[in-house]
Amino acid sequence: MPRRSDEEWASEARSILLRQLALGARSRHQLARKLADREIPAAVAAALLDRFEEVQLIDDAEFARMWVRTRTAAKALSRSSLRRELADKGIDPDLAEDALLQISDEDEHAQARDVVRRKLRGSADLSDRAVRDKEVRRLVGVLARKGYSPGTAFSIVKDVLADAEAQD
């Protein structure tokens, strides 16, 4: 197999990057990993990634802000879960923290309360201690899977259940 020139590698890498970006926003780290998977030489990949950043086709700060907005709306994830996801995508911790500023403590708690209200079984007899305890454990588990700390999850579930009982 004939050796490829840097121009041929760059052309292939450019095609890979453009296809990836056509599918949706990607972090520099994700794109670099894709190029490495396709065995694009590191020097060619770095130069092309730098150029794509220069012309703002790659913008990790904007990617992080968009990721936080969409994942919050779609999955109601906690900031700690979002922070972990951004780290997995190779986002610099400072950029991640800036993006997470979009979510206040009040927003995060309101979002968790909404999740608990949606997941609360209307048929559950909360006056029965065993049923109530089981429901609390289930709802705390729902929030835990979304990245909420146990203390926060218990507090929110307790508040929502108190509200539900007050309305009955």
Side-chain angles (χ1 to χ4, degrees), residues 4 28 40 45 70 78 81 123 133 135 151 165:
R4 292 186 188 177
R28 180 183 173 115
I40 302 294
T70 57
S78 70
S81 284
S123 61
D133 289 349
E135 192 68 2
E165 289 172 328

Side-chain angles (χ1 to χ4, degrees), residues 35-87:
L35 293 177
D37 290 347
R38 296 303 236 354
E39 300 179 358
I40 302 294
V44 171
L48 210 50
L49 290 166
D50 288 345
R51 179 66 183 139
F52 272 53
E53 269 186 336
E54 211 176 279
V55 297
Q56 297 179 340
L57 288 172
I58 302 172
D59 182 347
D60 279 358
E62 180 54 35
F63 172 83
R65 287 188 297 273
M66 179 273 315
W67 185 263
V68 167
R69 281 192 307 272
T70 57
R71 297 293 284 173
T72 299
K75 297 284 187 182
L77 297 175
S78 70
R79 284 181 295 207
S80 65
S81 284
L82 292 167
R83 187 177 292 111
R84 202 170 22 262
E85 286 185 353
L86 290 171

Side-chain angles (χ1 to χ4, degrees), residues 15-155:
S15 294
I16 292 166
L17 292 175
L18 291 172
R19 272 195 311 274
Q20 287 297 305
L21 291 169
L23 296 172
R26 302 278 190 271
S27 69
R28 180 183 173 115
H29 176 78
Q30 289 174 298
L31 293 168
R33 204 170 16 188
K34 183 60 81 172
L35 293 177
D37 290 347
R38 296 303 236 354
E39 300 179 358
I40 302 294
V44 171
L48 210 50
L49 290 166
D50 288 345
R51 179 66 183 139
F52 272 53
E53 269 186 336
E54 211 176 279
V55 297
Q56 297 179 340
L57 288 172
I58 302 172
D59 182 347
D60 279 358
E62 180 54 35
F63 172 83
R65 287 188 297 273
M66 179 273 315
W67 185 263
V68 167
R69 281 192 307 272
T70 57
R71 297 293 284 173
T72 299
K75 297 284 187 182
L77 297 175
S78 70
R79 284 181 295 207
S80 65
S81 284
L82 292 167
R83 187 177 292 111
R84 202 170 22 262
E85 286 185 353
L86 290 171
D88 290 345
K89 305 252 178 253
I91 299 298
D92 177 85
D94 291 337
L95 292 179
E97 289 308 315
D98 287 347
L100 291 168
L101 290 174
Q102 298 174 92
I103 306 170
S104 69
D105 287 346
E106 295 77 27
D107 293 339
E108 190 175 42
H109 286 95
Q111 179 177 281
R113 279 190 292 279
D114 289 344
V115 168
V116 172
R117 279 189 211 102
R118 280 196 320 271
K119 299 286 185 178
L120 180 61
R121 293 185 179 134
S123 61
D125 178 11
L126 298 176
S127 63
D128 179 335
R129 184 77 175 163
V131 171
R132 181 187 178 86
D133 289 349
K134 185 176 178 181
E135 192 68 2
V136 166
R137 283 191 306 275
R138 187 180 70 77
L139 293 169
V140 167
V142 167
L143 290 180
R145 287 186 293 281
K146 293 186 175 292
Y148 292 90
S149 71
T152 300
F154 273 108
S155 172

